[in-house]
Amino acid sequence: MPEIRIVTDSGAHFSNPYFVSQNQITVIPNKIDIGGKIYREGIDINATDAMQLIARQSIAPTVTAPSVAEYVEMFTRVSHHCEAIVSIHTSREISLSWQNARAAAQQLSGHCEIAVVDSQSICAGQGMLVRVAVQACEQEGTVDDVVRKVRGAVERVYSMYYVENVDYLLQNKIMSASHTILGKLLGIKPFLTVEEGRLVAVEKVRTRTQAVERLCEFAVEFAEIEDAVILQHKTHTTDQARMLHDRLSQEFPDRAFPTTVYGTFLATLIGADATGIVILEEEMELEDDF
């Protein structure tokens, strides 16, 4: 089998903090502008420290994806240690990462085989696809096989987020001004999901208890779960995350649901006061015709 390396941008988030180093994954950082200061995501600032800064900002931070030149440099360096690269990126509807990586790969055509994949996701969903790619590299034979495995998993990633403060949703045009004002007046909070690579508001609730029940209902819809994680905005377990974990433990007594702080990039979009769950549905086995 060819030596294949996995590259991703820092929009990917992992519940296991050692996963990247244990699997020789190369992560190229986004640049995050928080209050006028630029940070390389995951290098100059981690998710926990970023969340504390973002919580004090009235204006949503901005994110700049790695440039074409940065991807050319990264791909060139990684190619010295492998025969092919599979590069997995934050949804093209959210970031320019995929477009810039694709342009860089085209510049390096003939030097190294590079497959660039749009995750159609962000944060833990993107991280789950990186894990799928790592496993596929161990089991499959070619780059095409690995890419096929990852793209098949893209359709099995589902996410739901409950957002307390809608200010960032308005600034990032995830919610309209009219819906934002109405929600504040009525005291209702939105749920977000990722549809066709976009963060969209899908429904609303009034209380945190209702939010936890809705997140649990979302998880119970899946008969078979390959991977799952609860996302929150603090390092210590929040009341909402604890309630959700307790409810999920009743519904899934044999499954663990790790809890982690969600990534900086996601926080710039939805704010620093949200709770969510991301699920990778188990791949269905095709039944024999005989």
Side-chain angles (χ1 to χ4, degrees):
M1 293 190 297
E3 176 71 20
I4 302 171
R5 288 290 182 91
I6 306 300
V7 169
T8 191
D9 60 63
S10 60
H13 198 64
F14 306 92
S15 57
N16 176 0
Y18 304 106
F19 182 80
V20 169
S21 59
Q22 289 172 345
N23 293 279
Q24 295 186 315
I25 298 164
T26 301
V27 180
I28 185 166
N30 296 303
K31 295 182 179 66
I32 314 288
D33 184 334
I34 305 176
K37 185 173 181 179
I38 308 296
Y39 300 89
R40 291 172 297 171
E41 184 178 17
I43 297 177
D44 301 323
I45 193 167
N46 60 34
T48 301
D49 292 340
M51 201 70 70
Q52 294 175 356
L53 288 177
I54 291 171
R56 299 195 292 267
Q57 306 298 315
S58 59
I59 299 189
T62 57
V63 179
T64 302
S67 66
V68 175
E70 287 172 320
Y71 272 117
V72 168
E73 189 279 330
M74 177 67 74
F75 287 152
T76 300
R77 178 158 51 86
V78 173
S79 69
H80 294 155
H81 306 283
C82 64
E83 299 170 60
I85 297 170
V86 175
S87 196
I88 301 170
H89 302 272
T90 300
S91 169
R92 73 180 79 177
E93 301 293 341
I94 297 173
S95 169
L96 290 175
S97 181
W98 176 85
Q99 289 93 325
N100 291 348
R102 191 163 178 262
Q106 291 171 345
Q107 289 187 26
L108 295 173
S109 177
H111 296 277
C112 178
E113 184 176 6
I114 304 172
V116 181
V117 180
D118 177 4
S119 73
Q120 297 181 36
S121 187
I122 187 174
C123 197
Q126 183 180 344
M128 288 175 183
L129 295 176
V130 172
R131 183 187 60 77
V132 169
V134 169
Q135 291 179 337
C137 286
E138 297 171 351
Q139 300 168 0
E140 308 294 336
T142 68
V143 171
D144 289 343
D145 294 329
V146 174
V147 170
R148 190 178 304 111
K149 196 79 173 178
V150 174
R151 286 181 174 154
V154 165
E155 303 299 326
R156 297 186 280 113
V157 175
Y158 300 88
S159 56
M160 182 78 79
Y161 304 99
Y162 166 69
V163 181
E164 287 276 4
N165 190 315
V166 297
D167 290 344
Y168 279 19
L169 303 184
L170 174 60
Q171 293 179 44
N172 288 306
K173 299 180 180 179
I174 296 171
M175 287 182 64
S176 67
S178 59
H179 282 93
T180 301
I181 293 170
L182 182 62
K184 287 184 175 181
L185 288 174
L186 297 177
I188 54 179
K189 310 296 184 182
F191 273 97
L192 305 179
T193 190
V194 179
E195 291 184 356
E196 297 181 348
R198 297 183 179 91
L199 277 165
V200 295
V202 289
E203 56 185 280
K204 301 178 180 69
V205 296
R206 289 185 180 274
T207 69
R208 293 183 176 182
T209 300
Q210 290 174 338
V212 170
E213 286 301 316
R214 183 63 191 93
L215 289 170
C216 185
E217 290 171 4
F218 168 74
V220 172
E221 293 174 4
F222 300 95
E224 300 292 338
I225 296 175
E226 180 177 329
D227 199 358
V229 63
I230 296 171
L231 298 173
Q232 60 174 24
H233 60 284
K234 293 183 178 180
T235 51
H236 66 269
T237 304
T238 64
D239 290 341
Q240 281 175 268
R242 184 179 296 107
M243 290 168 60
L244 178 57
H245 192 274
D246 290 345
R247 288 287 290 109
L248 292 173
S249 296
Q250 296 172 18
E251 300 290 345
F252 302 92
D254 299 323
R255 164 162 289 280
F257 286 85
T259 301
T260 186
V261 176
Y262 54 87
T264 306
F265 192 172
L266 182 60
T268 70
L269 298 172
I270 68 174
D273 193 359
T275 303
I277 185 169
V278 180
I279 289 174
L280 174 63
E281 189 177 26
E282 189 80 43
E283 184 176 12
M284 293 181 61
E285 294 185 7
L286 297 177
E287 296 182 2
D288 293 333
D289 296 330
F290 304 100

